[in-house]
Amino acid sequence: QVQLVESGGGLVQPGGSLTLSCTTSGFILGEYDVAWFRRAPGKEREAVACYSATGGRLYYSDSVKGRFTLSRDNYKGTVYLQMKRLKPEDTATYFCARDLGRWSQSCERGDWTSWGDSRYWGQGTQVSVSS
C-alpha cells in the first residue's frame, strides 16, 4: 500500500527555517518522481519542487528557487524539503505527492506542476510564517 506522510510543519518567524519530511512506504522511492505542493487558504494548490527519479534532478518553482532545497534518502524512504528565508506568503499546508509510473520523467517534462488527485498524496503539514 502506497503511503506518504508529511511532518515537520510549524510556526516560524519571517526569515526563519524549517525542514519538512515526506516519509514514504509501499514502493521503492528511488524509482518515482516525488514532488511537494502547497495550498494557502483561499488559493489554488501550487507546485513547489520536484525530485526526479531519473538522475536525481531537482526542479523548483520560481517562488521558492534559491530558498528551498530538496533532498532524498532512498534508504530511509524519505524526501526532505529544507526551507530557508521563509516569508509570510509561504504560509500554507504542504503536501508531498508521488507520480503514478516509475521513471515517468514528469519532473523533466514540467507537467508535474499539474499533478491532480489521481496521484498519491499525503495528508499535509501546516507551515505558518508570522511574527
Side-chain angles (χ1 to χ4, degrees):
Q1 181 181 2
V2 173
Q3 287 190 317
L4 300 96
V5 179
E6 303 92 338
S7 61
L11 174 64
V12 63
Q13 292 187 339
S17 302
L18 274 177
T19 297
L20 306 183
S21 300
C22 173
T23 303
T24 71
S25 60
F27 63 97
I28 300 172
L29 178 59
E31 295 181 349
Y32 293 86
D33 289 4
V34 174
W36 284 92
F37 294 78
R38 65 187 181 186
R39 175 175 279 149
K43 294 189 176 181
E44 296 288 322
R45 187 166 57 200
E46 177 189 5
V48 175
C50 194
Y51 201 123
S52 171
T54 308
R57 299 185 184 93
L58 309 177
Y59 299 83
Y60 300 94
S61 68
D62 289 342
S63 61
V64 307
K65 198 174 295 182
R67 299 188 298 122
F68 290 12
T69 303
L70 269 177
S71 62
R72 182 153 122 169
D73 186 329
N74 288 338
Y75 181 76
K76 292 182 178 179
T78 302
V79 180
Y80 303 96
L81 183 68
Q82 184 181 38
M83 306 184 296
K84 296 181 177 180
R85 302 196 306 276
L86 283 162
K87 307 174 182 179
E89 51 263 43
D90 294 318
T91 295
T93 302
Y94 284 71
F95 302 87
C96 61
R98 197 211 83 177
D99 204 1
L100 295 176
R102 293 187 297 173
W103 299 293
S104 66
Q105 297 188 308
S106 181
C107 296
E108 281 84 350
R109 290 193 304 271
D111 54 46
W112 67 277
T113 59
S114 57
W115 283 359
D117 294 341
S118 62
R119 267 67 178 188
Y120 295 95
W121 293 84
Q123 83 291 345
T125 185
Q126 177 67 39
V127 172
S128 298
V129 185
S130 174
S131 55

